[in-house]
Amino acid sequence: MTEYIGAVDQGTTSTRAMVFDHDGGVVARHQIEHRQILPRAGWVEHDPAEIWRHTQEAMREAFQGYQIRALGVTNQRETTVVWDRRTGQTFGNAIVWQDTRTDRIVDALDHDRRGEIVSHRSGLLPATYFSGAKLQWILDNVDGARDAAERGDALFGTMDTWVLWNLTGGRVHATDVTNASRTMLMDLDTLDWDDELLGFFGVPRAMLPRIRPSSDPEGYGTTGDGVPITAVLGDQQAATVGQVCFAPGEAKNTYGTGNFLLLNTGTEPVRSKHGLLTTVAYQLADEPPVYALEGSIAVTGAAIQWLRDQLRIIDTAAQSEELAASVPDSGGVAFVPAFSGLFAPYWRADARGAVVGLSRFNTGAHLARAALEAICYQSRDVVEAMEQDSGVALGVLKVDGGVTANDLCMQLQADILGVPVSRPEVAETTALGAAYAAGLAAGYWGDTDELRGNWHESRRWQPGWTAAQRRDGYHQWRKAVERTLDWIEIEA
């Protein structure tokens, strides 16, 4: 019977299971959305039990009838959950990576210079984005959580760890180096939890998962059906593998709820001086880890969802392209969707979303086009910082993720960057990367060169704007960003 590789992609808005063949083609898939729980301004939560139910259903529907040789898991990073090791009951909802309730915890790090230690050791700029502060908030604010953690009864995990623990019937409490590198708790050099960083956040070491390579022949245990789980990666690192960015200098940009641009920097971490993050890109078995510079943008595709769900000027996300294409430009409107503050390269938790340049002439179509432009201008902010840090000019941008189905948005991206934009045949490279990592560990693929042979371009967009158009448009964008700053006060 023909063998395939399975992948579970537990994302911010949905969970999907996918089946891939030896050529990297999609054989089967099933996807289920989960609720976005918004208890108050700045708070974003998910129900871990709901996500686990959806994971089971997605796997059942997608994998039925296929011989799965190995399984890879990829996940929304930084989203934090704590549960009881004996019962599996969670201490409240998971706190999502977009959540900003930890702003005071993060701000306090910089008042006594702990933030400098966090940045140097973890490669991350202290921000509400990352898991360490979310874990501290749960321990400090959820009844019984800290007592259980001190007793050794409470477990911490990002969503990969939660899914893995459930897939293995509670037998495996582990994570991989890419997810661990997003917590502010792991030392980038040792690839282990750091006791001083744990002390900063008041985290008992006993509640932390074991850190493993991303692609691991020894595996992460087996599912209830006996399928070996041989890979775990955070979603953006998985997309880097799916885009076969295995050489230093290769980069990809994933367009999802947020945007995440990663540049492979090789086996030595490169410390950013321009607002980017140093992170682990992947680690294959016993090989040295490969590092990346990352530009993380909180709200891109989520801005389209906002047009649909809150403003209701479109009925489906796909309609944003048709509406935006009905006008030749944004009519002077700039939209900065700083709903969770601004991430890279600004890192301003005090920023909030703004629409500027409005006149009575403007319509919903102008706002829709400004939303697409915001996705692209935020990516340009990151590309500019990346080129300054690396000294390498971007020649072509590899793109993936759901928003890449929007042809107008991709054309705008090429126009705004002034470089070609290339989309692969398999645009959902996050799940593909998890499958590649799992298949390498299981011997389904021989090496990364074999994976390169699977990559094929689906479409390329060439820039059409003049240099003056790019300059003037970017100048207006930066003016709009300035209007979002200092909107809320953060007390230490």
Side-chain angles (χ1 to χ4, degrees), residues 186-200:
M186 189 192 84
D187 187 313
L188 268 184
D189 295 317
T190 67
L191 304 184
D192 195 9
W193 304 119
D194 182 90
D195 287 329
E196 186 173 16
L197 297 181
L198 297 182
F200 288 169

Side-chain angles (χ1 to χ4, degrees), residues 13-16 30-34 53-55 57-58:
T13 59
S14 67
T15 302
R16 65 173 66 95
H30 191 76
Q31 181 172 347
I32 312 170
E33 288 194 7
H34 56 262
R53 290 194 303 272
H54 289 181
T55 301
E57 181 181 346

Side-chain angles (χ1 to χ4, degrees), residues 125 274-276 296-297 336 341-351 377-378 380-382 385 474 477-482 484-485:
L125 296 168
H274 298 92
L276 302 180
S296 308
I297 304 166
V336 185
L342 287 170
F343 285 12
Y346 304 101
W347 298 108
R348 293 290 295 265
D350 61 342
Y377 278 120
Q378 288 183 99
R380 174 166 172 177
D381 283 336
V382 168
Y474 193 51
W477 166 256
R478 295 300 294 263
K479 281 173 61 180
V481 168
E482 288 293 326
T484 72
L485 305 179

Side-chain angles (χ1 to χ4, degrees), residues 251-264:
K252 69 87 199 174
N253 198 17
T254 296
Y255 297 71
T257 304
N259 268 30
F260 302 89
L261 203 161
L262 271 72
L263 172 73
N264 184 323

Side-chain angles (χ1 to χ4, degrees), residues 76-91:
Q76 54 168 317
R77 304 171 304 171
E78 300 94 17
T79 295
T80 300
V81 59
V82 176
W83 67 96
D84 190 305
R85 72 164 68 239
R86 302 163 304 172
T87 67
Q89 293 295 311
T90 60
F91 290 88

Side-chain angles (χ1 to χ4, degrees), residues 337-361:
F339 300 150
S340 301
L342 287 170
F343 285 12
Y346 304 101
W347 298 108
R348 293 290 295 265
D350 61 342
R352 284 298 179 269
V355 178
V356 299
L358 287 172
S359 69
R360 288 195 65 184
F361 163 73

Side-chain angles (χ1 to χ4, degrees), residues 2 7 38 43 50 52 79 102 110 113 118 122 178 231 233 263-265 273 300 357 379 388 400 402 440 463-464:
T2 303
L38 310 171
W43 290 32
E50 178 188 18
W52 169 234
T79 295
T102 59
D110 288 325
R113 308 198 68 171
V118 170
S122 73
T178 68
L233 301 97
L263 172 73
N264 184 323
T265 61
K273 297 179 180 178
T300 53
S379 293
Q388 290 174 333
D400 55 73
L440 284 172

